[in-house]
Amino acid sequence: MSLRSQALWGYRSLIRASEQAFRGDVYAIKEARKAIRAAFVENRRETDTETIAAMVKGIEEAESMLRFNIVQGKKNEAGSYEVKLTDPQKGKMRKDEELTAVTTSSVKTPEVTRSCASGDCPA
């Protein structure tokens, strides 16, 4: 596949990933689309193949970040936030990872905890 085709595929992929990541949040989807489009328009005249290849790699990393590392929390009746992971997000979690409840103090410092003491858990 040519670099141009990869970039166009990446653009569509980023748009779809942002729609998935921000599902239900019209404002966030709109802003993500604007940011993605602006980045592509800014670099549309690039001709250096090495630079374009690096950009395509960046597109793939950004898509992965949107699909697997961003979750939305919704406030429930009890006043705390619930997060629902998508199947791809669940599949990307390592067996030694677990979710930690979000508290006022942990919002500033998110953490991933390990469920085995030694730290060298099997994947």
Side-chain angles (χ1 to χ4, degrees):
M1 183 182 323
S2 72
L3 285 176
R4 176 176 166 73
S5 296
Q6 288 178 15
L8 292 173
W9 175 86
Y11 178 80
R12 289 188 296 272
S13 224
L14 282 174
I15 294 295
R16 284 190 297 268
S18 67
E19 288 171 351
Q20 175 189 329
F22 305 121
R23 186 179 355 197
D25 188 341
V26 176
Y27 179 77
I29 292 171
K30 181 180 171 186
E31 292 301 309
R33 281 179 178 245
K34 284 197 309 193
I36 293 166
R37 179 159 175 72
F40 275 77
V41 167
E42 179 182 328
N43 293 296
R44 72 176 167 203
R45 302 221 189 277
E46 184 61 56
T47 57
D48 181 56
T49 55
E50 287 183 23
T51 303
I52 295 170
M55 288 179 189
V56 167
K57 185 174 179 8
I59 291 167
E60 292 166 357
E61 291 171 359
E63 181 208 7
S64 179
M65 171 82 74
L66 284 167
R67 288 200 189 277
F68 304 116
N69 296 46
I70 295 178
V71 294
Q72 282 188 318
K74 293 191 179 183
K75 200 171 196 176
N76 62 20
E77 295 164 1
S80 56
Y81 288 86
E82 291 180 5
V83 175
K84 293 183 181 175
L85 297 180
T86 63
D87 287 337
Q89 288 170 329
K90 290 176 191 172
K92 278 289 192 176
M93 283 184 71
R94 295 188 320 258
K95 290 181 177 136
D96 64 328
E97 291 179 326
E98 60 187 50
L99 295 176
T100 303
V102 177
T103 63
T104 308
S105 61
S106 70
V107 169
K108 295 176 186 147
T109 56
E111 66 178 275
V112 174
T113 57
R114 296 189 178 276
S115 55
C116 57
S118 66
D120 58 346
C121 304

